[in-house]
Amino acid sequence: MKRLFFTTIILIAIKTLSAQPAKDAVLLSQYISQGTARSQAMAGAVGAMGNDFGCVATNPAGLGLYRSRGEFTLTPALSFSSAASTYFGQTEKATKSNFNLSNMDIVLSREQSNYGTLRFWQIGFGLNRTYNFNQNTLARGNNANSSIVDSFFGDIDGISIDELTDNYNYLPAWSTYIIDTMNDAYTTPVPQGNLAQTRSLKSSGHTDEWTLAGSMNLIDKVFLGAAIGIAHINRTNNYSFTEENLNSGEFFSEWTNSERVGTSGVGLNARIGIIAFPTRWLRIGLAYHTPTSYTLKETWEPSATSVLNGHTYSSSSDLYTSYTYNLRTPHKFGANLAFIIGSKGLITADYEFLNYRQATFSANDWDYTGKNEEIKSVGRAASNFRIGTEWVLGNVYLRGGFAFYGSPYQDGEEKVGNTFVYSTGIGYPITSKFIIDLAYSFINGSNALFPYRYEGISTIGENHMRHNAALSLKLKW
């Protein structure tokens, strides 16, 4: 048996340099824009509607429909998420709430001519939240056939102890005696099954985008727009996996494998768009979004604790590593429609196409060729649809919407399903210069994932639900 005393120094974590899962490239390429309350109330289907800063996330030509000299919007929001996870027939629920700033923007519009080709031009600058990572999940179940340590043994078979202790993936288990040696072979005190297993993931963070956009109104029939976006990712995942021995009185009681992963960085992108009015009742738009090129820093802090023969062992608190890499998200193409029903209301629709297999990792000090091939094997092309409507009832604006975001992953035993958004809202002008908008949206999606890789392991089925409420305060001049 190895020594029951372990001292560690900061080592070079060989495997962590390529530790990003391929699915991270896909996840960080996703977006469900929040933006203004008006945009959220219409499920984001504002591409051809315009006259709202939420449109810059879809089609920046929509800024060309602004007529007021200036407008400032501030949108605080409250989000409540819940996730029901089923594992070996047992269902657990986890919840999380957070307050955030969904949008802040200023748009200036100037009239150029009543009769010339260029009628108005606009410039806008602001913030839109484009993804919310805040979510907790909890799964519990009794596994009669395997342990997460079995998956470790499949990875470390044939490597030396020196190689194992240079790898942060397995060093915490080694230093807490979950991985041990006997007769020059790896062994473990953890039984192969009859274990109560608990998987916990606490995620926090968001993706925001600061956007500078400009637009032109040509003869009140053609609107052109362009935007430059600076995207910011800030995400933290706190993961733990606990195994408890269902047979009391044995040498092994329980152990927990944990890790804290932080991802942060900035990226740059651009968008162009056009909207045309072929008739008074129809608006048609097209848009193109370049990939977002991110430079990201990832930090990784693994740890473990175990209880063996009544004694508690913990891995060193010095296991920490960080590394920098690049992520390039897919191109995106969009089309927009709006049907204008006189002064009574409108119906809008947006369509987007993107191929998540185009997402790529890169770094100056690491070859990501194999990882990028893996991204192609798990990602797929996807379509997103959004439909919204707004109706005028006296001084009140009634809104509703629905959105469908296609799964970015190819089908398999482990998968992430489609995401659905249902929304509603109301707008009320307090005065001609001050407007209040309220929105509520419900976001629903499902996942199936393996807690670890081992033959015969059951997937965890997750059903995610998020409730968002937003309030926009809009001041015009």
Side-chain angles (χ1 to χ4, degrees):
M1 299 285 286
K2 69 183 176 66
R3 294 178 296 119
L4 292 183
F5 175 78
F6 189 89
T7 302
T8 184
I9 60 174
I10 297 177
L11 302 168
I12 298 174
I14 297 172
K15 268 200 174 180
T16 62
L17 291 173
S18 61
Q20 305 91 356
K23 290 189 176 181
D24 257 13
V26 176
L27 176 63
L28 297 177
S29 298
Q30 285 186 282
Y31 79 101
I32 298 179
S33 182
Q34 292 182 222
T36 66
R38 186 186 185 193
S39 175
Q40 290 188 55
M42 299 175 67
V46 294
M49 181 187 74
N51 201 29
D52 183 274
F53 195 77
C55 72
V56 301
T58 305
N59 189 337
L63 280 185
L65 280 81
Y66 273 91
R67 294 295 183 93
S68 59
R69 291 182 58 83
E71 181 177 294
F72 173 77
T73 307
L74 182 69
T75 309
L78 180 65
S79 175
F80 176 82
S81 65
S82 65
S85 303
T86 302
Y87 184 48
F88 284 109
Q90 184 173 335
T91 300
E92 299 287 343
K93 187 176 181 180
T95 62
K96 184 170 186 175
S97 60
N98 76 293
F99 180 81
N100 61 80
L101 181 63
S102 179
N103 154 268
M104 180 174 62
D105 70 79
I106 184 169
V107 178
L108 302 176
S109 178
R110 293 294 180 267
E111 185 174 5
Q112 190 70 19
S113 168
N114 286 328
Y115 304 103
T117 300
L118 178 60
R119 302 292 174 87
F120 286 84
W121 60 266
Q122 298 83 10
I123 186 169
F125 178 73
L127 168 77
N128 281 328
R129 176 148 296 186
T130 55
Y131 203 85
N132 190 343
F133 293 112
N134 289 279
Q135 181 87 61
N136 291 344
T137 62
L138 179 67
R140 288 195 181 101
N142 295 337
N143 188 338
N145 301 311
S146 69
S147 162
I148 191 174
V149 183
D150 295 321
S151 67
F152 291 178
F153 278 19
D155 294 335
I156 66 176
D157 183 37
I159 72 172
S160 69
I161 292 177
D162 287 341
E163 291 175 307
L164 185 145
T165 55
D166 276 350
N167 192 314
Y168 284 7
N169 288 298
Y170 313 112
L171 185 55
W174 171 262
S175 62
T176 53
Y177 315 107
I178 294 302
I179 297 177
D180 213 323
T181 57
M182 180 176 290
N183 299 326
D184 296 325
Y186 291 117
T187 185
T188 179
V190 182
Q192 191 176 33
N194 206 26
L195 298 166
Q197 297 178 327
T198 302
R199 180 187 185 273
S200 172
L201 179 61
K202 297 180 179 180
S203 300
S204 61
H206 55 266
T207 302
D208 286 338
E209 185 174 274
W210 288 96
T211 305
L212 176 64
S215 58
M216 296 184 294
N217 173 340
L218 307 180
I219 63 172
D220 287 332
K221 289 186 177 297
V222 177
F223 305 82
L224 304 176
I228 296 175
I230 299 176
H232 174 243
I233 289 177
N234 185 17
R235 183 189 68 167
T236 301
N237 284 342
N238 287 289
Y239 160 86
S240 68
F241 194 87
T242 300
E243 295 185 317
E244 301 172 74
N245 196 341
L246 293 174
N247 297 324
S248 60
E250 294 189 355
F251 179 81
F252 169 79
S253 296
E254 64 178 85
W255 88 290
T256 298
N257 186 44
S258 305
E259 64 180 22
R260 176 185 175 89
V261 180
T263 306
S264 61
V266 296
L268 186 67
N269 61 50
R271 294 181 290 276
I272 57 173
I274 182 172
I275 298 174
F277 288 11
T279 68
R280 294 177 60 88
W281 55 269
L282 178 64
R283 302 174 186 175
I284 300 174
L286 294 173
Y288 166 70
H289 300 199
T290 71
T292 301
S293 296
Y294 285 105
T295 298
L296 300 174
K297 179 182 179 181
E298 189 150 303
T299 60
W300 187 42
E301 301 172 69
S303 63
T305 60
S306 66
V307 180
L308 305 175
N309 202 26
H311 298 283
T312 300
Y313 302 96
S314 299
S315 62
S316 170
S317 60
D318 293 331
L319 302 183
Y320 171 89
T321 189
S322 66
Y323 45 96
T324 300
Y325 61 98
N326 304 311
L327 169 65
R328 181 181 172 89
T329 68
H331 299 265
K332 188 188 301 177
F333 303 89
N336 323 105
L337 287 174
F339 300 93
I340 313 302
I341 298 101
S343 60
K344 297 179 180 179
L346 53 84
I347 299 172
T348 62
D350 290 343
Y351 169 77
E352 291 170 342
F353 174 83
L354 66 167
N355 188 348
Y356 289 100
R357 300 174 76 243
Q358 295 176 345
T360 56
F361 286 128
S362 64
N364 294 329
D365 55 355
W366 194 263
D367 183 3
Y368 278 96
T369 301
K371 189 69 68 174
N372 291 331
E373 288 300 317
E374 188 180 345
I375 292 170
K376 292 179 181 179
S377 70
V378 300
R380 72 175 182 184
S383 294
N384 303 328
F385 302 90
R386 295 185 293 269
I387 299 174
T389 188
E390 180 179 78
W391 296 91
V392 182
L393 188 62
N395 288 332
V396 177
Y397 293 81
L398 303 179
R399 301 170 182 134
F402 169 79
F404 167 90
Y405 292 86
S407 171
Y409 298 109
Q410 295 187 31
D411 291 334
E413 291 182 275
E414 193 172 35
K415 63 183 179 180
V416 173
N418 303 319
T419 299
F420 302 90
V421 181
Y422 308 86
S423 62
T424 188
I426 189 171
Y428 184 76
I430 304 298
T431 68
S432 60
K433 303 295 184 181
F434 182 59
I435 300 169
I436 292 178
D437 293 319
L438 292 170
Y440 165 78
S441 60
F442 172 72
I443 304 172
N444 180 236
S446 61
N447 304 336
L449 57 92
F450 290 108
Y452 53 89
R453 287 291 181 177
Y454 191 71
E455 184 178 355
I457 186 66
S458 173
T459 58
I460 297 174
E462 296 180 342
N463 183 34
H464 296 266
M465 294 176 286
R466 186 184 301 278
H467 304 267
N468 288 331
L471 167 68
S472 282
L473 306 174
K474 187 178 298 183
L475 179 65
K476 295 184 175 185
W477 61 89

